[in-house]
Amino acid sequence: MVFILFFQAHGFILYRTLLPHDILVPALLSVPNNGVHDLAYVLLNGQYKGTLERDKVSGLEMIGWAGDVLDLLVENMGHINFGANVSDFKGLIHNVTLDSFTLSDWFIYPLDIDAAVAHAWPPAVPTRRGTTGPAFYTGTFTTPGINWDTYVKLPGWTKGQLWINGFNLGRFWPARGSQQTLFVPGVLLNSSAPNIVTVLELQAAPEEPIVLFLDRPLFNRTRSFATQEME
């Protein structure tokens, strides 16, 4: 169930199945042999349960009922292009298990998120504060008569991607660093109409979801260090 089988070179694929039986005592959801390449955001009936991460987090305990919808949103974080791991396949490399039971009957959805955002998706809906798990946030800002180069910082956000006017500026992951800002070329900005910001937050959004535009980049630091400097 790797990305290349679905002609997915980058980004995300959603893997979905149903729990085959009741799980009344917490069972370990895992992909043995380090089989998540590279991160899997786990949801049960749409509720975020945690993240499996290659080389770091191999399992999550969960309970549920037969027929509950289990989603694994798997993210490709980039390919190794040298050494023994040059064949760096992405996706779920091994079977997903609940304790010793192997889950099967997966529905697999390759996602072209860049194309969706470029076509003004998602539509604007009221925001819930402090949302956890994968979710989109959209907003607008204006720069009357100005379209200078700038840098965007995402205070309180956890991990995800950012688009401005449908252009993907890249990933943010402030807890890991080393960059705390993303470069915004001035040519992307519209000085005569509202500019659209789209944020895909994958883990936990701040209570007050905002983005800041700075006149300088913040590099070579983690979130805690950058926060102290900004204060």
Side-chain angles (χ1 to χ4, degrees):
M1 297 193 293
V2 296
F3 278 36
I4 194 171
L5 295 178
F6 305 98
F7 305 99
Q8 185 89 351
H10 63 278
F12 301 84
I13 285 183
L14 178 68
Y15 299 80
R16 172 172 291 175
T17 191
L18 305 179
L19 294 187
H21 54 260
D22 295 345
I23 306 168
L24 304 181
V25 177
L28 185 67
L29 176 77
S30 66
V31 187
N33 302 314
N34 204 24
V36 173
H37 289 195
D38 295 294
L39 294 102
Y41 306 94
V42 180
L43 301 98
L44 189 65
N45 291 335
Q47 299 296 311
Y48 177 61
K49 298 299 181 181
T51 301
L52 301 176
E53 183 178 352
R54 182 178 184 176
D55 298 323
K56 292 184 180 294
V57 182
S58 59
L60 296 170
E61 287 192 337
M62 60 193 319
I63 59 175
W65 302 96
D68 284 353
V69 178
L70 176 66
D71 289 327
L72 275 69
L73 178 64
V74 177
E75 180 181 11
N76 172 359
M77 290 292 291
H79 290 268
I80 298 171
N81 62 359
F82 62 91
N85 293 320
V86 67
S87 296
D88 186 25
F89 294 108
K90 300 299 175 176
L92 298 178
I93 308 303
H94 299 289
N95 289 329
V96 182
T97 62
L98 268 173
D99 284 343
S100 59
F101 186 87
T102 298
L103 297 176
S104 59
D105 299 325
W106 292 91
F107 295 90
I108 301 174
Y109 304 92
L111 303 177
D112 189 350
I113 295 177
D114 281 332
V117 173
H119 288 84
W121 190 90
V125 295
T127 300
R128 295 180 297 171
R129 294 186 177 183
T131 299
T132 59
F136 281 96
Y137 296 78
T138 60
T140 60
F141 67 96
T142 57
T143 58
I146 300 173
N147 58 348
W148 296 341
D149 293 350
T150 185
Y151 301 88
V152 63
K153 188 178 189 302
L154 294 102
W157 301 82
T158 306
K159 183 185 187 301
Q161 296 185 21
L162 174 72
W163 294 258
I164 289 185
N165 293 331
F167 186 88
N168 190 334
L169 294 178
R171 297 189 185 100
F172 61 90
W173 199 356
R176 300 285 177 93
S178 60
Q179 85 177 14
Q180 296 294 317
T181 54
L182 295 172
F183 177 57
V184 184
V187 295
L188 294 180
L189 302 179
N190 192 329
S191 60
S192 60
N195 295 280
I196 300 173
V197 178
T198 305
V199 179
L200 170 59
E201 172 57 65
L202 294 164
Q203 293 180 321
E207 287 292 324
E208 296 290 340
I210 63 170
V211 298
L212 299 177
F213 290 90
L214 310 178
D215 61 359
R216 68 189 190 281
L218 299 177
F219 291 132
N220 300 323
R221 64 204 71 194
T222 58
R223 176 169 52 197
S224 59
F225 184 81
T227 301
Q228 291 171 5
E229 181 172 286
M230 289 296 294
E231 291 175 349

